[in-house]
Amino acid sequence: MNLQNHKNSIIEEGFTVINNIFSDEEVKKISEVIQDIDTSKETFRKSEDLFAIRQFLKEIPEVKELIFNENLKRIIKEIFGENYFTVKSIYFDKPEKSNWYVAYHQDLTISVDKKVELENFGPWTTKQNQFAVQPPLDILENIFTIRIHLDDTDENNGALKVVPKSHAKGIYRPETIDWNVETENICNVERSGIMIMKPLILHGSNRTTNGKKRRVIHIEFSDRELPEVLNWSERMN
């Protein structure tokens, strides 16, 4: 694994794809753990188009050692650095019949433990007693997101599409995208592979058209401490 190329790609383009991070056996075990859970809690969201588990690593702690295998730990250390910790985790299942389309957007909020008035923090949202806030830009610029793929994913079952280099342009309103200047890249990822991206990259996904599942574990990492009164709600070293 030549990780320097991937590191350069994340810095310059805002994303990279690395396949073969997990063995078939590891993917199978992760899938089995997810299938066995009690889905009645309020952190779980279920509809025909989407099944999601918020605070995934907290809700299913037994999956942690399967996910953080030697390959992933090495990637985090060499690409992100020694001091990074997880700050958010979600599991998404985009089922075979999903008509769920996600318009271009940036990930502009972080999950925190409470709502407090703080300069440069806002707007705030609250979902199911979970607090999310848009922090200052430097905190967002510092986050890395890893998306672990449990299924082969391409443009026919909701692979992420991104606008390369858009992560370096600050807050970028999707309605102002000039397609004469920007390009779109579809990020195909093999089952057992990962995509790493900066949350400020403009990204979205199309509906599923090939009747195949798309299961993804989304984990965000930071090495920043928040102002004293505020904590990352899912902080985990």
Side-chain angles (χ1 to χ4, degrees):
M1 254 195 311
N2 179 356
L3 294 181
Q4 192 55 48
N5 291 348
H6 290 293
K7 189 173 182 174
N8 295 345
S9 176
I10 296 165
I11 293 166
E12 289 157 26
E13 303 294 322
F15 71 101
T16 195
V17 171
I18 317 177
N19 285 312
N20 302 314
I21 296 305
F22 297 90
S23 67
D24 277 348
E25 187 55 31
E26 285 171 322
V27 172
K28 197 165 155 272
K29 277 188 180 152
I30 292 168
S31 307
E32 282 167 1
V33 171
I34 293 167
Q35 271 160 3
D36 288 346
I37 52 182
D38 164 18
T39 56
S40 60
K41 294 184 181 169
E42 59 176 27
T43 39
F44 296 57
R45 200 176 131 203
K46 199 169 174 58
S47 70
E48 271 189 18
D49 270 357
L50 168 68
F51 175 65
I53 305 170
R54 294 176 191 282
Q55 303 200 12
F56 177 68
L57 295 173
K58 262 190 183 175
E59 290 289 358
I60 311 174
E62 59 271 31
V63 87
K64 269 187 292 197
E65 59 191 53
L66 294 169
I67 286 174
F68 292 98
N69 69 2
E70 289 311 312
N71 284 341
L72 202 69
K73 284 195 285 202
R74 186 185 148 204
I75 285 165
I76 292 165
K77 189 174 162 187
E78 291 188 26
I79 293 182
F80 305 173
E82 292 278 0
N83 302 319
Y84 271 77
F85 44 85
T86 63
V87 294
K88 186 175 186 173
S89 58
I90 311 174
Y91 167 78
F92 292 111
D93 179 356
K94 194 168 191 172
E96 300 89 329
K97 299 184 185 66
S98 179
N99 284 321
W100 174 41
Y101 157 84
V102 181
Y104 268 110
H105 65 286
Q106 295 173 300
D107 291 342
L108 294 176
T109 62
I110 58 171
S111 295
V112 292
D113 62 337
K114 58 177 136 355
K115 182 176 178 179
V116 283
E117 288 303 314
L118 270 178
E119 206 183 335
N120 299 325
F121 280 76
W124 289 79
T125 56
T126 309
K127 269 186 205 158
Q128 299 156 326
N129 217 11
Q130 296 187 55
F131 303 95
V133 64
Q134 185 169 324
L137 197 60
D138 64 306
I139 292 178
L140 290 173
E141 286 172 339
N142 191 59
I143 292 171
F144 289 93
T145 300
I146 293 183
R147 290 169 59 94
I148 299 166
H149 284 252
L150 303 179
D151 301 291
D152 287 326
T153 308
D154 61 22
E155 67 277 12
N156 301 313
N157 65 334
L160 228 48
K161 32 182 205 178
V162 299
V163 178
K165 298 185 167 56
S166 55
H167 69 298
K169 299 180 181 178
I171 305 295
Y172 191 150
R173 300 283 164 219
E175 59 276 13
T176 65
I177 298 174
D178 179 354
W179 290 112
N180 296 316
V181 183
E182 304 287 18
T183 54
E184 176 175 278
N185 190 301
I186 307 272
C187 301
N188 294 356
V189 187
E190 292 170 12
R191 174 181 189 263
S192 84
I194 65 172
M195 175 186 177
I196 304 176
M197 66 179 214
K198 299 299 284 177
L200 288 175
I201 196 168
L202 282 162
H203 59 285
S205 67
N206 292 335
R207 297 174 174 84
T208 301
T209 55
N210 65 357
K212 290 185 176 164
K213 288 171 88 67
R214 186 204 81 179
R215 294 168 301 157
V216 171
I217 297 164
H218 168 118
I219 308 175
E220 294 173 21
F221 298 81
S222 174
D223 65 351
R224 288 288 162 91
E225 300 301 340
L226 298 174
E228 264 176 38
V229 287
L230 208 55
N231 297 299
W232 298 98
S233 68
E234 296 177 58
R235 179 177 180 151
M236 221 176 271
N237 291 331

